[in-house]
Amino acid sequence: MSALPTADVPPADVPTLLVKIFGKDRPGITAGLFDTLAAYSVDVVDIEQVVTRGRIVLCVLVTEPTVSTSGELRATVHSWADSINLQAEIISGKGDNRPRGSGRSHVTVLGHPLTAESTAAIAARITGTGGNIDRIFRLAKYPVTAVEFAVSGVETEPLRSALAVEAAGIGVDVAVVSAGLHRRAQRLVVMDVDSTLIQDEVIELFAAHAGCEAEVAAVTEQAMRGELDFEQSLHARVALLAGLDAEVVDKVRAEVRMTPGARTLIRTLKRLGYQVGVVSGGFTQVTDALKDELSLDFASANTLEIVDGKLTGRVVGEIVDRAGKARLLRRFAAVAGVPLDQTVAIGDGANDLDMLNAAGLGVAFNAKPVVRQAADTAVNVPFLDTVLYLLGITREEVEAADGDAVHLH
């Protein structure tokens, strides 16, 4: 339970009662309990209510009435609870809840499915770092199960490091972000395109039309693992496209497959007032179309040179490579008026690492091992909208926003 502001908190030696009500949920329980308590002129110090599969747990911390009426209050609450087939428990104590420890974080756990064994492992590791779990609630039940732990008593960075090790061992995704108002502030989300926003590697789609798909794919894989310099590999792969008719651009655009959840992610972020951009080692011939289709705020990529209706096998303009992606993140943030620590970057390859490290939150999405190890958090399920849960947005809120949009139309 969370305490009220200090001015409303009773002194530590003031007697208080913790009133717990539990049983089958129905309308009117909360109002009924407070109507019962109102007869004794108690002050409400704290309150928390949870309903799970139709069962309610309602906890209220109140100041204890006079000694002469305390017993009567207890009897009346029990009688009221019995009358509607609920159970009541009343515990005496003094003052408010103990203060939460310094160092507060939100720990988001994604499972597909989320097992009791993995949840136990995460909870034990939190405790092992000196953290205390203050609250747990579910963010989503599909397409993955997502739960959030509110943790205090340990700083975010050591907690993140400890849980990253645990998550890798048990096969769940865990994100740890510091608590605070900044989590609710307007943000900028910038993501990679190939194998992140979309399921494809665009240059491989072009290569398929040039008959050199296998050769290009092999070089792409080496570059994504960080084994080749990206700019050199880019020029080598693009050179293989020389002579292709420019009409192939429209064919490639039509072949692009969005990652499951990508449209939901972007649509929800935009409704919340976030700004969204993409940076890509691919090509503006595709990203510009995605920017228009998805109403993105920013987009930047390499540009294939086209002369006399043919691809020349060269790129023109500023090269978007590993360093370039981080540079563009900073540029977008400056234009958007969003502090860098309020940015979120999402990517899968080694050329995304600088961008992921520069952002306030770097998310490795179905990424190569070297990227998973270096990023703040990793998501290894094939649904891009699960990133919303890392931002504390629930599936119910996503669906409610979709419903409101349909109603408006």
Side-chain angles (χ1 to χ4, degrees), residues 278-285 287 299-303 316 318-320 328:
V278 294
V279 291
S280 177
F283 309 109
T284 57
Q285 281 83 358
T287 58
S300 190
N302 299 301
T303 299
V316 294
E318 181 183 17
I319 296 296
V320 179
L328 287 163

Side-chain angles (χ1 to χ4, degrees), residues 203 206 230-242 280-285 301-307 311-321:
I203 196 166
F206 277 102
F230 178 81
E231 184 172 350
Q232 290 178 337
S233 71
L234 174 67
H235 290 304
R237 289 175 290 174
V238 171
L240 297 170
L241 307 181
S280 177
F283 309 109
T284 57
Q285 281 83 358
N302 299 301
T303 299
L304 292 169
E305 184 181 56
I306 298 175
V307 177
L311 273 63
T312 66
R314 296 186 295 270
V315 292
V316 294
E318 181 183 17
I319 296 296
V320 179
D321 56 6

Side-chain angles (χ1 to χ4, degrees), residues 45 93 129 167 179 226 251 253 273 277 282 374:
V45 179
T129 63
K251 296 178 181 178
R253 287 174 180 165

Side-chain angles (χ1 to χ4, degrees), residues 74 77 91 132 153 162 222 246 292 366:
R74 291 170 182 267
V77 169
I91 303 171
N132 184 72
Q222 287 180 289
D292 292 339
N366 292 315

Side-chain angles (χ1 to χ4, degrees), residues 23 63 100 122 155 163 175 197 211 279 288 295 337 349 351 370 378 384 409:
T63 54
R100 293 176 62 187
I122 293 298
E155 296 301 323
L163 290 179
L197 178 63
V279 291
D288 286 351
S295 299
N351 65 327
V370 65
L384 193 57
H409 286 300

Side-chain angles (χ1 to χ4, degrees), residues 48-87:
E48 189 159 323
Q49 177 176 306
V50 176
V51 177
T52 304
R53 212 179 68 178
R55 308 295 292 185
I56 187 172
V57 178
L58 172 58
C59 296
V60 180
L61 186 65
V62 297
T63 54
E64 187 171 10
T66 61
V67 175
S68 61
T69 57
S70 180
E72 182 183 336
L73 179 150
R74 291 170 182 267
T76 303
V77 169
H78 280 288
S79 177
W80 165 79
D82 288 340
S83 71
I84 53 175
N85 298 316
L86 295 174
Q87 292 180 278

Side-chain angles (χ1 to χ4, degrees), residues 161-205:
S161 297
L163 290 179
V165 173
E166 192 67 45
I170 61 179
V172 298
D173 298 333
V174 177
V176 182
V177 297
S178 59
L181 289 176
H182 67 275
R183 199 183 190 209
R184 299 182 181 273
Q186 184 188 60
R187 286 186 173 184
L188 167 68
V189 177
V190 176
M191 66 191 84
D192 175 42
V193 175
D194 294 9
S195 298
T196 300
L197 178 63
I198 66 174
Q199 299 179 60
D200 312 281
E201 291 287 333
V202 168
I203 196 166
E204 293 178 13
L205 297 179

